[in-house]
Amino acid sequence: MPPDLQSIVDEIVAAMATEEARGKVATYIPGLATVSPAHFGMAVVSADGSVALGGDAELPFSTQSVSKVFALTMALGKVGDQLWARVGREPSGNAFNSIVQLEAEQGIPRNPFINAGAIVVADVNLAGHQPREAIGELLRFIRFLADDEDIHVDEVIARSETETGFRNIALANYMRAFGNIHHPVERVTGVYFHQCAIAMSCLQLARAGRYLMLDGLLPDAGRVISARRARRINALMLTCGHYDASGDFAFRIGMPGKSGVGGGILAVVPGKASIAVWSPGLNASGNSQLGTKALEHFARLTGWSVFSSRD
Amino acid sequence: MPPDLQSIVDEIVAAMATEEARGKVATYIPGLATVSPAHFGMAVVSADGSVALGGDAELPFSTQSVSKVFALTMALGKVGDQLWARVGREPSGNAFNSIVQLEAEQGIPRNPFINAGAIVVADVNLAGHQPREAIGELLRFIRFLADDEDIHVDEVIARSETETGFRNIALANYMRAFGNIHHPVERVTGVYFHQCAIAMSCLQLARAGRYLMLDGLLPDAGRVISARRARRINALMLTCGHYDASGDFAFRIGMPGKSGVGGGILAVVPGKASIAVWSPGLNASGNSQLGTKALEHFARLTGWSVFSSRD
Amino acid sequence: MPPDLQSIVDEIVAAMATEEARGKVATYIPGLATVSPAHFGMAVVSADGSVALGGDAELPFSTQSVSKVFALTMALGKVGDQLWARVGREPSGNAFNSIVQLEAEQGIPRNPFINAGAIVVADVNLAGHQPREAIGELLRFIRFLADDEDIHVDEVIARSETETGFRNIALANYMRAFGNIHHPVERVTGVYFHQCAIAMSCLQLARAGRYLMLDGLLPDAGRVISARRARRINALMLTCGHYDASGDFAFRIGMPGKSGVGGGILAVVPGKASIAVWSPGLNASGNSQLGTKALEHFARLTGWSVFSSRD
Amino acid sequence: MPPDLQSIVDEIVAAMATEEARGKVATYIPGLATVSPAHFGMAVVSADGSVALGGDAELPFSTQSVSKVFALTMALGKVGDQLWARVGREPSGNAFNSIVQLEAEQGIPRNPFINAGAIVVADVNLAGHQPREAIGELLRFIRFLADDEDIHVDEVIARSETETGFRNIALANYMRAFGNIHHPVERVTGVYFHQCAIAMSCLQLARAGRYLMLDGLLPDAGRVISARRARRINALMLTCGHYDASGDFAFRIGMPGKSGVGGGILAVVPGKASIAVWSPGLNASGNSQLGTKALEHFARLTGWSVFSSRD
């Protein structure tokens, strides 16, 4: 008998409401710093299409790095496996390594989910486009995946990233010095900052992630990507989706997932569910404190894990 | 309809026989350097207990780092989650970082599958024992898991590791300087070197791995570890099991696995199969060249992956 | 009896003319790549004001990093020891560390002679100015030191640096992310790139370096900096003046010095001489191959070294 | 007129007596932890042979890393410039790099004054000897340099190093893995630990350093090493003598020097003086807090610096 997902979501929402340690809201992007840590939302879309919602599940938040999943999917659609000549597929070790490794590995970022890798992905998506068009195309793709035309870029956030994103601009210039960024840096980071500023609710995000639980298919719209590519994106989310806490997330939760500093996490159980959680307070690793905890509850209550034989 | 595993194994054995690029046999341990790269063996044990064998599936080889999976399982049985105060659960980034990170992270290795981490595990398993007893206990545990009393330590290999293992002795002393090795270094490395020298055939190895595909149970012998712990060991194998090619293995093959420089790999599909392959030639990442390739064939032919919804 | 410097210079010029291994001309700045490796020039200005010239001693070349000495002197004149809150005074270890250390040390470059440190110095010199004025001020300072109004910026070189200096732009953005660059990056790097493009002959350079051999005094113009500051700049040149070959330069030559990728080196023997050599071919460490060799001859023939008691 | 060194020493001793911030005594070697931070001693031996003493100038202390200067001199006497194939001559950058660089640079330590480099020097000095003989030879060499037969090894310190020196044993094993240690590790570290435990007073140490101020000569005993080698050892002391504060020591004090965690520092002004200071409390860089301060006073009061033209 399948688990009663709405009851599970309700139980989790209730548990999260009483949590006192809610993490710290990211402050380095001005537009994010004002969000209240009191928020918690959760949405689960099952393989059969049923939906369970809880808390602030329909309130939009800044997806930040979660959007890297969709940008990667789009870039793979454009250049296929040629992407892997410019971006690796290995976890990055710890935080401070990213830039060491960029140097040691000649401007090739370790994976598409660290900032440097996502900037290369943005460079790929920019090919033949103006920045505005590239962002438009990504937005249309996400709207299509979520079947929701309301998804948009939060321009205030986008601008505040542009003003303070010196570190990302540094990474882009650094990779350009190695020839691994092909367009002018300000255009590439323009795409990147707008992509990070895409706002979505948990419901929209869980819907947008359905193709990853369904081996690349969308129920009504048909095949988005091949089953093999869906598996591979899931693999990358599992090994690289949570910065230097990716191993711990796999260990404790056992689902492919991608987090963002806005406090959102998209998690996928192939064949079972696409799950989105959101709570703005971050833990020491930069992942949503309550979001991670909620997913750990969810994994325990459903028994779902890619590392288990249960069906 | 379940795949015909014997046909699949036969097809893979035939394909591997014609491969010309077979990698390079490890030479830094004298006892390994003389093994012929012509060997290839494969064994698959299904969840229902059926067995498919091919090539040199019954020839013993040096398991080397594959044995770390069993040593970790034993250590968790002894000290439980206290182990994680002394060893991390994150991928190590790239090869050269291991020792940087030992320093940066105060003598705490990143995970139990890099050498430093496995040396801490050996230190845990040594508690209250003489080295000989600790190795005896591990050997009995592996024999129990594989239901095979013939598994033994290759003393020639063990001695050649002892003589040339300066780097591992260095790691052990380094961690002892941080207080993370509790026993005299020569006793800890004694256990470690003998553990690496455990010889098994593909058949024995695939049988020994059954508890990881069966959520911690053995068909005849009952529960070995909890389902939660089995999931977690699988998660560690997936994120950390192949040195700095762990991400690539997850991307291309999508199964928890652990490789060793003897050319063996143990891979697990929860609920489906425990698989062992062996071919002594290594690729640039230090993993079996044909073993990796064979598992990629296997994943394609069966459609099995933890990242797919197929059943 | 003081050494006959003109004879020594003549001997060195003759010896250098027969050298076949002349190093490789820097190619990463387009404007430098076309300079012939056949050039060799040398100028020695003694404490008593006498001058010895040889080879292409009066041909201007791109000073590149040698100009960092004068920019540092000017910045110290502006902000004094407050500079050291923003830049360290330690050798950088090896090349690849610079950016690691920038991260590990919170955006504080190790010393003012690595690129990151010189970019901070440029940021200091820019305070209250337009980039054009800041460069003008530096140029006037160098003309004053050398007593030569012909010293100028090579605009072709300056432009080619601006176009390809992604790595330096990356460093500047990276430090700005840590708050250690106060002006817009493009203005700071504008100053930096123009400063690197200052062209001088060996004669002009050796004259410009006189204040460092004379404890901060200029014979006709009086005190430029305090004796203490002159000593300290000399100390920095000795420990940090030749990238990751600074130790070797001190070991073999024993004089404070600063090299540039244009092939120039300024060296100082306090109380004795200010010496400039130039030959465009670089050795593996990025310092002038013949320039280093010529200075080694010079040290041997004169017996001069800061590490010797000879007078 | 030469400075009145005894008055200067008296002034410094008086000033140091009132200092309240005296640093922290090293505790990682049990035998050192019990020394009182109240001690301060200073001895200056001039080029003309006159001696100025102050404070605890005749109390023996553990020389620790200061002894590396004499061990290096002895090793250069044995193998000459062949030593440089096994040890570099560059500053090590910051502390954490030592072991990174050992790995990146294939087991070649950056310089003979970091622990790894001094262990290679001990390996050189051990050639053809028993450890006891190698230490005996070094002790005789130092007694000869100081013209004092009372200098000895503090066996309590030597034993406490042997028991806790896991990190140095790790370095030795690590280099042995690269083939850069030729003797069994326990014999090499035996020599190294005893060498560190050589006890000397400031007077003995300043006398032992005379050959470095006199271009390799000893007044009564003749040439110890060539003038060129004396210059080069001075250069190494200046660029590498104070761990990651070498640049700062050169900047502030401007003399070749070598410090030890026992709180001693040997400093040399070629042609002028050999100076030893001792105070057990260390600053954050691991160098004697008062010793460094005292030398800064001394440099200011005498005007002596290798970076100045003053005579």
Side-chain angles (χ1 to χ4, degrees), chain A residues 249 253 255 265 267 275 277 290-299:
Chain A
F249 192 90
I253 294 168
M255 303 175 187
I265 306 177
I275 307 135
V277 289
L290 294 195
T292 306
K293 205 156 199 170
L295 287 169
E296 207 172 352
H297 278 253
F298 184 80

Side-chain angles (χ1 to χ4, degrees), chain D residues 28-310:
Chain D
Y28 69 94
I29 301 172
L32 294 181
T34 55
V35 181
S36 162
H39 291 297
F40 175 81
M42 184 166 191
V44 182
V45 178
S46 306
D48 64 9
S50 64
V51 173
L53 302 179
D56 302 318
E58 298 187 67
L59 211 59
F61 58 88
S62 192
T63 57
Q64 296 293 321
S65 291
V66 185
S67 65
K68 288 170 180 162
V69 175
F70 309 113
L72 169 66
T73 305
M74 194 167 92
L76 285 169
K78 288 173 183 283
V79 300
D81 284 346
Q82 291 176 34
L83 179 66
W84 307 118
R86 295 176 57 187
V87 190
R89 300 185 295 237
E90 294 299 329
S92 67
N94 61 21
F96 89 85
N97 282 334
S98 55
I99 200 146
V100 185
Q101 287 169 335
L102 263 194
E103 185 150 22
E105 299 175 14
Q106 301 285 304
I108 306 296
R110 290 231 109 198
N111 67 63
F113 291 150
I114 55 173
N115 288 10
I119 291 168
V120 171
V121 166
D123 189 58
V124 167
N125 285 334
L126 184 55
H129 287 299
Q130 293 300 317
R132 182 180 302 268
E133 296 166 358
I135 274 296
E137 187 184 8
L138 178 60
L139 210 47
R140 282 192 300 281
F141 179 55
I142 295 176
R143 287 170 176 167
F144 160 75
L145 292 173
D147 192 16
D148 190 325
E149 291 300 309
D150 280 350
I151 296 166
H152 65 280
V153 170
D154 181 330
E155 286 291 341
V156 174
I157 297 279
R159 261 195 306 279
S160 74
E161 302 227 37
T162 306
E163 282 158 20
T164 61
F166 299 116
R167 197 162 174 141
N168 287 315
I169 296 170
L171 290 172
N173 274 288
Y174 201 64
M175 292 188 288
R176 187 153 164 90
F178 283 108
N180 199 21
I181 290 294
H182 301 169
H183 299 85
V185 162
E186 61 276 15
R187 299 175 65 185
V188 178
T189 53
V191 172
Y192 177 73
F193 291 139
H194 278 77
Q195 159 187 320
C196 289
I198 291 173
M200 296 172 80
S201 69
C202 287
L203 174 57
Q204 291 169 327
L205 185 55
R207 289 180 58 83
R210 290 173 300 164
Y211 72 110
L212 293 171
M213 75 159 149
L214 296 171
D215 300 321
L217 279 169
L218 275 188
D220 306 316
R223 182 153 298 284
V224 178
I225 54 173
S226 70
R228 183 163 164 271
R229 182 162 291 164
R231 275 202 305 273
R232 291 179 157 196
I233 295 173
N234 282 333
L236 286 165
M237 289 170 77
L238 192 110
T239 54
C240 314
H242 298 273
Y243 309 107
D244 200 33
S246 299
D248 195 58
F249 192 90
F251 181 89
R252 294 202 290 150
I253 295 168
M255 303 173 185
K258 183 74 204 82
S259 72
V261 293
I265 306 178
L266 171 65
V268 170
V269 188
K272 300 292 183 193
S274 170
I275 308 134
V277 289
W278 169 56
S279 184
L282 306 181
N283 61 21
S285 306
N287 301 305
S288 174
Q289 169 115 349
L290 294 195
T292 305
K293 204 155 200 170
L295 287 169
E296 207 172 351
H297 279 252
F298 184 80
R300 186 171 42 75
L301 294 169
T302 57
W304 291 347
S305 157
V306 301
F307 299 115
S308 149
S309 67
R310 296 191 194 159

Side-chain angles (χ1 to χ4, degrees), chain A residues 34-46:
Chain A
T34 55
V35 181
S36 162
H39 290 298
F40 176 81
M42 184 166 191
V44 183
V45 178
S46 307

Side-chain angles (χ1 to χ4, degrees), chain B:
Chain B
M1 199 187 74
D4 176 350
L5 293 175
Q6 187 59 55
S7 299
I8 287 175
V9 169
D10 291 344
E11 181 179 337
I12 291 171
V13 169
M16 293 304 110
T18 66
E19 285 284 336
E20 296 195 354
R22 304 183 80 87
K24 293 174 81 167
V25 174
T27 54
Y28 70 93
I29 302 172
L32 293 182
T34 54
V35 181
S36 162
H39 290 298
F40 176 81
M42 184 166 192
V44 183
V45 178
S46 306
D48 63 11
S50 64
V51 173
L53 302 179
D56 302 318
E58 298 186 67
L59 212 59
F61 58 89
S62 192
T63 56
Q64 295 294 321
S65 291
V66 184
S67 65
K68 287 170 180 161
V69 174
F70 308 113
L72 169 65
T73 304
M74 195 167 92
L76 286 169
K78 287 173 184 285
V79 299
D81 284 346
Q82 291 176 33
L83 179 66
W84 306 118
R86 295 177 58 189
V87 190
R89 298 185 297 237
E90 294 300 328
S92 66
N94 62 20
F96 89 86
N97 282 333
S98 54
I99 201 145
V100 185
Q101 287 170 334
L102 262 193
E103 186 149 21
E105 298 174 13
Q106 301 286 304
I108 306 295
R110 291 231 107 200
N111 67 63
F113 292 150
I114 54 173
N115 287 11
I119 290 168
V120 171
V121 166
D123 190 58
V124 167
N125 285 335
L126 184 55
H129 288 299
Q130 293 300 316
R132 182 181 302 269
E133 297 166 358
I135 275 295
E137 188 184 9
L138 177 61
L139 209 49
R140 282 193 300 280
F141 179 54
I142 295 176
R143 286 169 177 169
F144 160 74
L145 292 173
D147 192 16
D148 189 325
E149 291 300 309
D150 281 350
I151 296 166
H152 64 281
V153 171
D154 182 329
E155 286 292 340
V156 174
I157 297 279
R159 263 194 306 279
S160 72
E161 303 227 36
T162 307
E163 282 158 20
T164 61
F166 298 117
R167 196 165 177 139
N168 288 315
I169 296 170
L171 289 171
N173 274 288
Y174 200 65
M175 292 188 288
R176 189 154 163 88
F178 283 107
N180 199 20
I181 291 293
H182 301 168
H183 299 86
V185 162
E186 62 277 15
R187 298 174 66 185
V188 178
T189 53
V191 171
Y192 177 73
F193 291 140
H194 277 78
Q195 159 188 320
C196 288
I198 292 173
M200 296 172 80
S201 69
C202 287
L203 175 57
Q204 290 169 327
L205 185 56
R207 288 180 60 84
R210 290 173 301 163
Y211 72 110
L212 293 171
M213 76 159 149
L214 296 172
D215 300 321
L217 279 170
L218 276 188
D220 304 317
R223 181 154 298 283
V224 178
I225 54 174
S226 71
R228 184 162 164 270
R229 182 161 292 164
R231 276 202 303 274
R232 290 178 157 196
I233 295 172
N234 283 332
L236 286 164
M237 290 169 75
L238 193 111
T239 54
C240 314
H242 295 80
Y243 310 106
D244 200 33
S246 299
D248 195 58
F249 191 89
F251 181 88
R252 295 201 290 149
I253 294 168
M255 303 175 185
K258 183 73 204 80
S259 72
V261 292
I265 306 177
L266 171 65
V268 170
V269 189
K272 300 292 183 192
S274 169
I275 308 135
V277 289
W278 171 54
S279 183
L282 306 181
N283 61 23
S285 305
N287 300 306
S288 174
Q289 169 114 350
L290 294 195
T292 306
K293 205 155 200 171
L295 287 169
E296 206 172 352
H297 278 253
F298 184 80
R300 187 170 42 75
L301 293 169
T302 57
W304 290 347
S305 157
V306 301
F307 299 115
S308 149
S309 69
R310 295 194 193 157
D311 290 284

Side-chain angles (χ1 to χ4, degrees), chain A residues 99 103 166-167 170 173 176, chain C residues 99 103 166-167 170 173 176:
Chain A
I99 201 146
E103 185 149 21
F166 299 117
R167 196 164 176 138
N173 275 288
R176 188 153 162 90
Chain C
I99 200 146
E103 184 148 23
F166 299 116
R167 197 164 175 138
N173 275 288
R176 189 152 162 90

Side-chain angles (χ1 to χ4, degrees), chain A residues 109-155:
Chain A
R110 290 230 108 200
N111 67 65
F113 292 150
I114 55 174
N115 288 10
I119 290 168
V120 170
V121 166
D123 189 60
V124 167
N125 285 335
L126 184 54
H129 288 298
Q130 294 300 316
R132 183 181 302 269
E133 296 166 357
I135 275 296
E137 187 183 9
L138 178 60
L139 210 49
R140 282 194 299 279
F141 179 54
I142 295 175
R143 287 170 175 166
F144 161 74
L145 291 173
D147 193 15
D148 189 325
E149 291 300 309
D150 281 350
I151 297 165
H152 64 281
V153 170
D154 182 328
E155 287 293 340

